[in-house]
Amino acid sequence: VEVFFADSVSEENFDSHIAQLRENPSITRVEIISKDAARKRLSESLGRDYLLANESNPLPRSATLSFERGFVSVSALDSLRRDCLRWNGTLQVSYDRAWLTETENNRNLIANILGVLLIVTLVGATLNAALLAGLVARSKTRHFNQLRMLGAGAWTLGLPLIVEGALLAAFSAGLSWLVVLYAQRNWFDLDIEWAIPQTDEILIFVSAAAFVGALGAAFAARMAIWRKS
């Protein structure tokens, strides 16, 4: 984002505007582009200085802004643009709004697709955990019958299966993230920025996997044990 200022703005007002920008917690960097620096950039981009015939430099001075990653959005930048245009002497606030809008639309589309895939994955994981717990329950039928004869209830028989399902799912999820992190650090030497979740987000994912494992195991235990009680 670049904010352009009129030549009529006094140094005091200009410094005040720059100070307001730097006080914004969402802005990480404010680079001031002087009139001479703007002319030099234009000459370098065009390959020659087309302003040699001008006695004065018509280009305005400006400030280039960099932001926190989570701040950049169409609504946030539109709001910042309106605030800057209220200042006395602001000529223009420039950024590629069309590109940012298209990027947000693509991001929302990807998020919707990932949401559907997540639901399908959770359903599949739940059914898989239920099938596994059901197989375990059937393999221990004789053991369960002996425990029933000793007075064991349905919860006493089913709780170990539920805990086992949760632990297996959590272990699998945690191991998968360890493999991803190890591969990212040791195998892939690519000049790209990896979108690795924070530790708390990974823990939430592992906890969700444990819940899915416990849910599937509970379903299987209900089918294999409760109905026989």
Side-chain angles (χ1 to χ4, degrees):
V1 176
E2 192 164 4
V3 184
F4 297 91
F5 298 95
D7 294 340
S8 59
V9 177
S10 65
E11 288 297 327
E12 182 180 358
N13 287 337
F14 179 78
D15 293 340
S16 175
H17 298 334
I18 296 300
Q20 290 184 58
L21 292 173
R22 286 176 174 162
E23 290 173 359
N24 190 324
S26 301
I27 299 177
T28 59
R29 184 168 178 265
V30 179
E31 180 185 3
I32 299 175
I33 310 298
S34 65
K35 293 170 64 68
D36 292 337
R39 179 172 182 171
K40 182 179 179 181
R41 286 188 174 188
L42 179 63
S43 301
E44 291 176 351
S45 63
L46 298 179
R48 57 176 296 186
D49 190 355
Y50 286 92
L51 300 178
L52 286 175
N54 292 65
E55 295 182 359
S56 61
N57 183 358
L59 299 178
R61 56 182 170 177
S62 63
T64 301
L65 313 180
S66 301
F67 301 90
E68 295 282 353
R69 180 178 302 178
F71 175 80
V72 177
S73 66
V74 173
S75 59
L77 294 187
D78 282 348
S79 176
L80 177 66
R81 178 177 179 273
R82 288 192 296 269
D83 292 340
C84 291
L85 290 176
R86 292 192 187 101
W87 297 340
N88 182 29
T90 303
L91 294 176
Q92 182 182 358
V93 179
S94 174
Y95 68 96
D96 196 343
R97 191 179 191 280
W99 174 85
L100 185 57
T101 301
E102 183 177 356
T103 300
E104 287 192 352
N105 292 336
N106 292 336
R107 183 177 59 188
N108 292 335
L109 177 61
I110 293 174
N112 292 334
I113 294 175
L114 290 178
V116 174
L117 291 177
L118 177 61
I119 294 174
V120 173
T121 302
L122 289 177
V123 171
T126 303
L127 295 177
N128 186 56
L131 177 61
L132 177 61
L135 293 175
V136 173
R138 291 189 182 91
S139 67
K140 296 181 179 181
T141 300
R142 183 177 179 181
H143 177 65
F144 288 155
N145 289 335
Q146 292 175 349
L147 292 176
R148 285 196 189 96
M149 294 176 62
L150 295 175
W155 274 107
T156 304
L157 300 175
L159 187 59
L161 289 177
I162 296 174
V163 174
E164 183 178 357
L167 292 178
L168 285 175
F171 175 79
S172 300
L175 182 61
S176 66
W177 274 114
L178 289 177
V179 171
V180 170
L181 294 175
Y182 180 83
Q184 181 258 325
R185 293 176 182 176
N186 298 278
W187 295 345
F188 298 102
D189 187 17
L190 302 177
D191 188 19
I192 60 176
E193 182 177 354
W194 289 79
I196 300 297
Q198 300 296 323
T199 302
D200 56 342
E201 296 174 333
I202 294 178
L203 292 177
I204 292 175
F205 175 83
V206 173
S207 301
F211 174 76
V212 170
L215 185 64
F219 177 75
R222 177 179 177 82
M223 298 298 294
I225 299 174
W226 269 260
R227 65 182 183 181
K228 296 181 181 180
S229 300

